[in-house]
Amino acid sequence: MTDLRKPEKRYRPEIEGIRTIATLLIAVYHIWLGRVSGGVDVFFILSGFLITTSLLSRMERMGTIKLGEHFLGLSKRLFSQALLVIVVVGGFSLLFLPQIQWGEIIHHMTASIFYYENWRLAFDAVDYLAQDNSASPFQHYWSLGVQGQFYIIWPILIITVYFLAQKVFKTPVRKTFLVALLIICTSSLSYSIYQTNQNQPWAYFDTFARVWEFGVGGLLALLLPYLVLNKWVNTLLGWLGLSIVCLTGVLLPVSTVFPGYLALVPISGVVLLIIASENSTRFGVERILSVQPLLFLGGLTYGIYLWHWPLLLFYQSFMNTETVPLIDGVLLLVVTVVLSFISTRLIEAPVLKMDSRKMKGKVIALLTMMVCIAGSSMILISSYIDDVKAEMLVTAHDEKDYPGARAIYEKTEPPKGLEPIPSLLDIKQDLPAFYGQMECLGKGQIKVKKCSFNESNNPDYTIALVGGSHSGHWFPALEILAEEMNFQLDLYNHDGCRFTNEDPENQLTETCLEWNANLLKHLQDDPPDLVFTTSTLNKHDTVPVGYIGQWKQLEGITTVFAVRDNPRMKKHIPTCLERADNPLDCAITRDQGVSKVVPWENTEGIPSNVIFADLTDYFCDGTTCHPVIGNVIVYRDNNHLTAQYAKTLAPALKKPLQEALESLDEGDELLD
């Protein structure tokens, strides 16, 4: 049986041109459009095409692939610039980024050094508490992680297929590999489409949902000798391919729909470009792709990709803006190219010139030293962050100096001139205590999880705290009151999921609605004395219909204590406070934070088993909703309460809660 024809072995300058255009598209879309271009998908197919061509030829020529030599060569190409950028960006992050982001620096540095940043971002994408994280200056290393994992898998796959073809099936190697790639691409694309539909944020960073893109490059490497077209058709398809690559990011919301079947759009563009370049014509696109400026920048694309993203984030943070003017953007690109030129010529080029065979020991030692330097920089940065934290915690906080909401409740004036708590370095972790107990977290599950607190003291009442994070952030206050008022607190948490049976705005998942149905049955079968939940959503001037639907299902079974939702601020409060001269710069008006009417007084059909509580005055005075009250920062983002502030709400919450529980006793007496 004859095998597939081998492609002509030649230098392909058009590949450098495609790589340059893809890299510039990534940078331009990030800087001026604030969008994802699809350029990374171009990288993936080019990587699959090039490495398949190289490794398969080597396997056929030598009968093996020396994995150690292969990985050492890849490390020379990938490590030097990547590690340099990690070290430099890690240090400058402490200068340019707000303190609230410092805690994430070490995690992302580690993930970037060891090529698993894509998985780090995948887990963050489905972690409710991490979804509001600001963009990391190392975030773009996710694509390097995917490529690195692919580079490990691919030579092993080729060796395996070669062995099976030669020793087991007795079939031609290239045809066997073609069948293997078709199976891999079909499986990966099917998984990608499914996962993108089910959980797109996860799928975007999932290596297994991206393998098919590399596989298409491999298929192209195998079939390219057979893809000979009429020269005019070839010319038209080449320019069409370039147009597709350039316009993908404009036509498609790449970051929210990839990598499912829509990723075929930029990939089809690359396929057309490579086919057209293989069959050169007078007016073909390969003429443009091979011009000297693109070839020059092609040698710098790795560095341009590495440098452009952190430079953009540093600029945005320093200038306190999300938009970049034309001139500033051009300067950013120029600085990016200059830094790339320096790091490529002074760092990468000398390493690449080292002969891996003759200087194997020196190459390994040099690469090891680079990794150690990057690791040491992480330790130094981590140590510095710990020192800054320690300085902030030198003195214990006197409750009289940091009364929080108690200042309003007790009508006292807190001392002025103090730094508010919690510190900006720790504010992300200033969470209700139950977040430290995985068995209490129901996010992404339909199973109802119950966690009980203060249950061993023979409680007088049982209160169920139900719903998502806007119910959950009342937990610190309720935990204090549970001891003071002797009630058992049962927690039913599902972040990102309100206590509702309807979702007219399509904001909730099917999982959330199923969880709600299961929770309702649980509360009906084992009713608490009181169900604590939120009564409103944002600044809507009516109570959501789905809330009322749930409450009615509990009528005659238990009482619902529904607290008004807190205001949602316009700015990310910790970041704003670090940059602002006055906390009031981060405030909003009361009308911006809450509706002018009391929502439940403006809503019909509310069942008789609901008791409402409105603590808006502990977030807003007559005109302003404040980010700092009583020297305590109210919000850990723009809408979730810090645990510190929630604790100080306990006295204010105690009165309406006590009245609600007393009304239960009165009802029992009437029944008796």
Side-chain angles (χ1 to χ4, degrees):
M1 185 185 296
T2 57
D3 206 347
L4 298 175
R5 295 204 307 265
K6 297 180 182 180
E8 177 189 353
K9 188 175 181 180
R10 65 177 181 85
Y11 172 57
R12 298 178 182 273
E14 68 278 359
I15 297 292
E16 290 294 298
I18 297 172
R19 187 183 283 124
T20 299
I21 288 173
T23 305
L24 292 178
L25 283 172
I26 290 170
V28 166
Y29 273 69
H30 282 160
I31 292 171
W32 284 296
L33 302 180
R35 294 169 66 95
V36 178
S37 67
V40 165
D41 301 88
V42 176
F43 288 159
F44 290 166
I45 190 170
L46 290 180
S47 295
F49 175 79
L50 293 172
I51 198 170
T52 300
T53 301
S54 172
L55 291 181
L56 199 54
S57 297
R58 188 185 308 177
M59 192 73 203
E60 291 172 328
R61 187 175 67 254
M62 302 175 60
T64 186
I65 297 172
K66 296 180 180 178
L67 292 178
E69 187 178 300
H70 168 71
F71 292 135
L72 189 59
L74 277 176
S75 300
K76 283 168 55 181
R77 174 72 179 90
L78 298 176
F79 278 15
S80 53
Q81 285 203 80
L83 294 175
L84 170 68
V85 174
I86 287 171
V87 172
V88 173
V89 170
F92 276 92
S93 293
L94 301 179
L95 293 176
F96 288 104
L97 298 184
Q99 289 184 358
I100 190 173
Q101 293 180 237
W102 288 9
E104 296 296 314
I105 291 174
I106 301 302
H107 300 302
H108 287 287
M109 285 183 74
T110 305
S112 298
I113 290 172
F114 295 105
Y115 282 77
Y116 66 89
E117 174 69 354
N118 62 309
W119 294 111
R120 168 81 195 184
L121 292 173
F123 281 105
D124 281 354
V126 296
D127 180 352
Y128 185 81
L129 296 177
Q131 286 175 0
D132 290 327
N133 284 353
S134 299
S136 161
F138 303 102
Q139 187 166 303
H140 58 318
Y141 276 75
W142 78 267
S143 65
L144 273 66
V146 173
Q147 284 179 289
Q149 293 152 34
F150 163 75
Y151 288 146
I152 292 173
I153 296 169
W154 220 242
I156 297 172
L157 173 66
I158 289 177
I159 291 172
T160 303
V161 171
Y162 184 86
F163 173 80
L164 292 174
Q166 294 283 82
K167 305 296 183 181
V168 179
F169 301 127
K170 308 295 184 182
T171 53
V173 173
R174 287 180 175 264
K175 286 186 176 179
T176 307
F177 193 57
L178 176 65
V179 173
L181 281 186
L182 288 171
I183 294 171
I184 290 170
C185 288
T186 302
S187 302
S188 175
L189 178 57
S190 300
Y191 169 75
S192 180
I193 293 170
Y194 168 79
Q195 192 65 275
T196 301
N197 184 56
Q198 294 295 312
N199 190 351
Q200 188 275 334
W202 172 278
Y204 192 86
F205 301 108
D206 186 342
T207 301
F208 301 106
R210 295 282 188 172
V211 167
W212 69 272
E213 299 186 52
F214 297 94
V216 170
L219 289 172
L220 187 58
L222 292 172
L223 299 176
L224 192 58
Y226 299 91
L227 302 174
V228 180
L229 306 173
N230 174 279
K231 65 177 183 178
W232 291 111
V233 173
N234 196 75
T235 300
L236 290 173
L237 290 181
W239 287 104
L240 175 62
L242 182 60
S243 301
I244 290 172
V245 169
C246 292
L247 296 176
T248 293
V250 173
L251 300 175
L252 298 173
V254 174
S255 63
T256 58
V257 298
F258 275 31
Y261 63 89
L262 285 174
L264 286 165
V265 174
I267 284 175
S268 66
V270 185
V271 169
L272 292 177
L273 282 173
I274 294 177
I275 293 173
S277 299
E278 183 71 7
N279 304 282
S280 181
T281 62
R282 183 179 178 185
F283 300 105
V285 71
E286 69 279 359
R287 303 278 183 175
I288 294 294
L289 295 176
S290 303
V291 298
Q292 194 57 41
L294 290 185
L295 296 183
F296 171 77
L297 290 174
L300 305 179
T301 51
Y302 187 43
I304 292 172
Y305 180 78
L306 291 172
W307 286 110
H308 88 281
W309 179 250
L311 286 177
L312 173 61
L313 291 192
F314 292 160
Y315 170 88
Q316 291 176 330
S317 180
F318 183 75
M319 301 299 290
N320 193 20
T321 181
E322 292 184 1
T323 58
V324 183
L326 178 62
I327 300 301
D328 290 10
V330 171
L331 289 174
L332 275 174
L333 277 177
V334 170
V335 173
T336 297
V337 172
V338 170
L339 287 175
S340 176
F341 180 82
I342 293 171
S343 59
T344 301
R345 295 299 173 88
L346 298 185
I347 304 298
E348 182 182 273
V351 176
L352 289 178
K353 287 179 181 177
M354 298 177 70
D355 192 320
S356 298
R357 296 174 184 174
K358 296 179 180 178
M359 307 173 68
K360 184 177 180 180
K362 290 183 179 180
V363 172
I364 293 174
L366 179 61
L367 295 175
T368 303
M369 183 183 71
M370 289 179 175
V371 174
C372 289
I373 291 173
S376 299
S377 72
M378 280 197 311
I379 295 172
L380 290 173
I381 292 170
S382 180
S383 177
Y384 176 77
I385 294 172
D386 289 341
D387 289 344
V388 173
K389 284 184 178 181
E391 288 179 13
M392 294 178 174
L393 298 174
V394 169
T395 56
H397 298 127
D398 190 331
E399 287 188 3
K400 293 179 181 178
D401 294 336
Y402 299 90
R406 288 196 307 275
I408 299 172
Y409 182 78
E410 298 168 359
K411 299 180 181 179
T412 59
E413 187 70 26
K416 299 184 183 299
L418 297 178
E419 285 293 320
I421 60 171
S423 75
L424 296 177
L425 274 173
D426 291 321
I427 198 167
K428 268 190 179 181
Q429 285 71 48
D430 193 47
L431 303 167
F434 69 82
Y435 279 107
Q437 304 177 41
M438 291 299 297
E439 66 274 14
C440 298
L441 306 181
K443 171 70 176 174
Q445 302 179 39
I446 63 173
K447 179 183 177 182
V448 174
K449 291 184 176 182
K450 172 184 173 181
C451 279
S452 298
F453 300 85
N454 199 43
E455 60 179 332
S456 59
N457 299 332
N458 191 26
D460 296 329
Y461 307 97
T462 299
I463 296 179
L465 175 60
V466 305
S469 56
H470 274 242
S471 294
H473 64 200
W474 289 94
F475 178 86
L478 289 170
E479 192 176 29
I480 293 171
L481 295 178
E483 291 191 16
E484 291 183 11
M485 301 170 66
N486 194 34
F487 61 78
Q488 176 176 313
L489 180 60
D490 291 341
L491 173 72
Y492 300 91
N493 167 264
H494 192 298
D495 277 348
C497 183
R498 302 180 284 273
F499 187 50
T500 182
N501 65 1
E502 287 187 29
D503 183 28
E505 297 180 2
N506 293 319
Q507 294 179 336
L508 305 177
T509 63
E510 286 298 321
T511 301
C512 168
L513 295 175
E514 286 187 53
W515 177 82
N516 262 293
N518 293 338
L519 173 61
L520 184 64
K521 186 176 186 306
H522 184 90
L523 295 174
Q524 290 169 335
D525 293 343
D526 184 18
D529 296 299
L530 206 67
V531 173
F532 187 108
T533 189
T534 52
S535 64
T536 57
L537 177 61
N538 299 341
K539 58 172 294 186
H540 294 182
D541 56 9
T542 58
V543 177
V545 174
Y547 290 16
I548 297 172
Q550 288 289 76
W551 301 344
K552 284 182 176 179
Q553 298 298 316
L554 295 173
E555 197 168 15
I557 299 174
T558 187
T559 299
V560 176
F561 183 88
V563 65
R564 190 173 186 175
D565 199 8
N566 58 276
R568 295 180 186 240
M569 309 298 277
K570 300 298 181 185
K571 299 178 181 178
H572 187 274
I573 295 305
T575 302
C576 182
L577 289 174
E578 184 169 355
R579 292 170 174 163
D581 296 325
N582 188 329
L584 286 176
D585 294 339
C586 309
I588 59 174
T589 66
R590 185 179 178 111
D591 288 346
Q592 289 177 313
V594 295
S595 63
K596 293 182 180 180
V597 298
V598 178
W600 49 87
E601 294 178 357
N602 195 39
T603 305
E604 297 181 354
I606 293 175
S608 60
N609 63 325
V610 182
I611 298 172
F612 293 100
D614 188 351
L615 273 70
T616 301
D617 289 343
Y618 292 92
F619 302 101
C620 311
D621 58 27
T623 60
T624 306
C625 298
H626 295 270
V628 178
I629 297 175
N631 290 329
V632 179
I633 300 175
V634 180
Y635 303 95
R636 54 183 163 87
D637 44 33
N638 73 326
N639 66 96
H640 293 100
L641 306 181
T642 61
Q644 292 267 17
Y645 190 75
K647 289 175 184 177
T648 69
L649 284 166
L653 180 61
K654 183 175 182 178
K655 183 179 179 181
L657 193 61
Q658 200 160 31
E659 291 174 352
L661 293 175
E662 288 172 358
S663 71
L664 299 182
D665 295 335
E666 292 172 4
D668 290 342
E669 290 174 6
L670 290 174
L671 289 174
D672 292 341

